[in-house]
Amino acid sequence: EEKPLHQLPSSNSQSDYLIINQLGYLKWFNFITLEIANFSFNQLAISSVNLRAECLLNSTIQELHLSIVKKDRIAGLKLKSSGISAKLLKHSSEETCLVHLSLNLEINLFSETSLLDLDVNINGLHSTLNEGFYSLFLDYQDNSIDNYHHHVRDQTFLSQLQDLPIKQLLVNVKGLSLQLIRDRGQKVLTIENEENSFKMCKVSNSEILFDLLIKEFKNTSGHCQLAFLQTLLFEVKLEEERSIDHCLKVSIRSELISFHCDYIESEIDQWIDLIAISRSKIEDYQEGQKSQSVLSKIFKSDNAFIKLNLCSEFRDIEFRFEPKVSNQPLISTLTNGKLTTFVNPDPIHRELR
């Protein structure tokens, strides 16, 4: 049962100081509340290397409620906002509105030590993107990718997670709708999703858990359905083993139920140039990097042993290919299946075998 912020329990913990105490004068207050109605914000982006024309960002919030409570070494923050809407408008363009985004947002944050429990709920996320926005995004991505990797490439995935001041992160997204529009609305690619949830939990500095759940996913182009997914469950456990040889255990369990994919060539060709990422930029970047496997980047040491335990189940899988030159589609179905594997590259384990 969720406890109101004004009924937070007391604590005699002698742990590290609260992160909220670092927020300047906020540490002197035990209770803060803020309510705002009908808030609007306009930001003009002047022409630059990334934006070839002037753009106006128009944002509105119908209601916003913020509460902060602190008692002893326990702190809580609650942010609830409804009617969030944002539009990116571009001058000198046939497509005046490049992006339209609307959603309702609720954030709950709880802290008893220097680590945070963060809960994010997003409802009714609707977004519409015109093809003009995609070109702006690629310009920005091409100019910033080198600077981004220059700063983060020396850090591994696991070390970044260990440095995060978050003990548990929970993100829920319900009622997702994304539309990509081109040719003045004549072509529409739609992605709809009923429910998504993502959870990350740091059990300790050597053990991290991930949970991902996707329900009722649908992708359509015009009147054609390209993909449908009823349920996807994905659980990952990363655990370091302190031994003579550095070892990290990766346990993965997944479940896929009712996945139908229709590759309709005539429909896919209308979007392939917008969906494809600039390969030349990525290939140029990869040529200057040290060749590493995806799993090796997860760990702190490149020569770490990786123990992989994988269990995957799937039911009601169907792939359908419909080429342009033929009216007879190729269909492949799978009713039930299960994949289980265990990989242990430890030399001692190989010798025992």
Side-chain angles (χ1 to χ4, degrees):
E1 183 179 356
E2 183 179 358
K3 295 183 179 180
L5 289 177
H6 63 274
Q7 295 181 1
L8 290 174
S10 60
S11 174
N12 296 321
S13 173
Q14 300 298 323
S15 55
D16 297 336
Y17 58 89
L18 293 171
I19 290 181
I20 197 170
N21 284 342
Q22 305 177 49
L23 302 179
Y25 292 105
L26 289 179
K27 64 182 180 181
W28 302 108
F29 294 90
N30 291 327
F31 178 73
I32 300 175
T33 182
L34 174 66
E35 294 186 5
I36 299 177
N38 298 325
F39 172 80
S40 62
F41 173 78
N42 296 315
Q43 172 65 42
L44 179 64
I46 307 300
S47 301
S48 64
V49 177
N50 297 328
L51 299 178
R52 300 176 181 177
E54 293 184 353
C55 294
L56 176 66
L57 177 62
N58 176 259
S59 305
T60 59
I61 300 177
Q62 293 181 359
E63 293 183 3
L64 185 145
H65 179 82
L66 173 65
S67 298
I68 301 177
V69 177
K70 184 170 73 70
K71 183 178 181 181
D72 298 331
R73 288 185 173 271
I74 300 178
L77 180 147
K78 183 174 183 179
L79 173 65
K80 187 175 182 179
S81 181
S82 61
I84 301 176
S85 178
K87 293 182 180 180
L88 182 63
L89 308 175
K90 181 179 178 181
H91 295 289
S92 305
S93 173
E94 296 179 354
E95 299 172 348
T96 305
C97 183
L98 298 181
V99 182
H100 182 210
L101 177 70
S102 63
L103 71 153
N104 299 315
L105 176 66
E106 181 176 344
I107 298 176
N108 294 290
L109 185 149
F110 176 79
S111 174
E112 188 173 0
T113 63
S114 58
L115 297 178
L116 303 175
D117 288 344
L118 182 59
D119 188 357
V120 179
N121 295 293
I122 300 175
N123 292 316
L125 175 58
H126 300 280
S127 179
T128 302
L129 289 79
N130 279 292
E131 58 182 326
F133 172 76
Y134 188 80
S135 61
L136 295 180
F137 175 76
L138 280 183
D139 291 340
Y140 177 79
Q141 184 186 50
D142 293 342
N143 289 324
S144 62
I145 186 171
D146 295 332
N147 294 330
Y148 174 78
H149 287 287
H150 177 74
H151 291 91
V152 304
R153 64 188 178 186
D154 293 332
Q155 285 189 300
T156 61
F157 176 71
L158 190 60
S159 63
Q160 293 179 20
L161 292 178
Q162 291 175 340
D163 293 339
L164 287 177
I166 297 178
K167 180 180 180 181
Q168 179 172 292
L169 171 64
L170 179 61
V171 180
N172 290 307
V173 181
K174 295 183 179 181
L176 171 67
S177 176
L178 172 64
Q179 285 189 331
L180 181 60
I181 301 176
R182 66 182 313 182
D183 295 345
R184 299 182 182 181
Q186 295 183 5
K187 300 176 182 177
V188 180
L189 183 68
T190 304
I191 296 176
E192 296 177 329
N193 185 214
E194 186 66 26
E195 181 180 355
N196 291 316
S197 66
F198 171 78
K199 182 178 180 180
M200 183 195 75
C201 181
K202 293 193 339 185
V203 180
S204 64
N205 288 332
S206 61
E207 184 176 349
I208 302 178
L209 305 178
F210 298 92
D211 292 338
L212 175 65
L213 176 64
I214 300 177
K215 288 186 176 182
E216 300 294 335
F217 173 89
K218 183 169 63 174
N219 179 212
T220 59
S221 175
H223 299 289
C224 300
Q225 179 172 291
L226 302 181
F228 173 79
L229 171 65
Q230 180 177 333
T231 304
L232 171 63
L233 176 64
F234 198 74
E235 299 176 349
V236 180
K237 178 181 178 182
L238 302 179
E239 183 178 5
E240 282 186 298
E241 288 186 351
R242 301 297 182 180
S243 59
I244 298 177
D245 294 318
H246 185 194
C247 175
L248 205 63
K249 295 173 61 178
V250 180
S251 300
I252 301 175
R253 188 181 80 87
S254 65
E255 186 175 354
L256 182 63
I257 301 176
S258 294
F259 176 64
H260 298 173
C261 180
D262 293 350
Y263 192 98
I264 305 176
E265 193 173 17
S266 59
E267 293 292 333
I268 298 296
D269 286 350
Q270 301 177 16
W271 305 101
I272 199 68
D273 58 329
L274 291 182
I275 297 175
I277 303 176
S278 178
R279 294 182 179 178
S280 60
K281 290 290 181 180
I282 296 178
E283 291 175 356
D284 293 341
Y285 167 74
Q286 291 178 341
E287 287 179 359
Q289 304 302 313
K290 181 180 178 181
S291 179
Q292 289 183 335
S293 65
V294 176
L295 288 177
S296 65
K297 295 180 181 180
I298 294 179
F299 307 105
K300 292 182 177 180
S301 176
D302 293 338
N303 58 0
F305 293 114
I306 303 172
K307 293 182 180 180
L308 175 63
N309 191 353
L310 172 65
C311 180
S312 180
E313 299 182 19
F314 32 88
R315 298 194 298 270
D316 186 21
I317 310 299
E318 179 179 293
F319 292 94
R320 183 172 177 268
F321 175 68
E322 184 177 315
K324 290 182 180 179
V325 296
S326 175
N327 294 327
Q328 298 296 328
L330 302 177
I331 301 176
S332 177
T333 61
L334 178 62
T335 304
N336 290 285
K338 183 175 182 179
L339 174 64
T340 303
T341 183
F342 177 73
V343 179
N344 187 356
D346 193 333
I348 298 179
H349 178 77
R350 292 198 297 265
E351 290 293 333
L352 293 176
R353 295 182 60 187

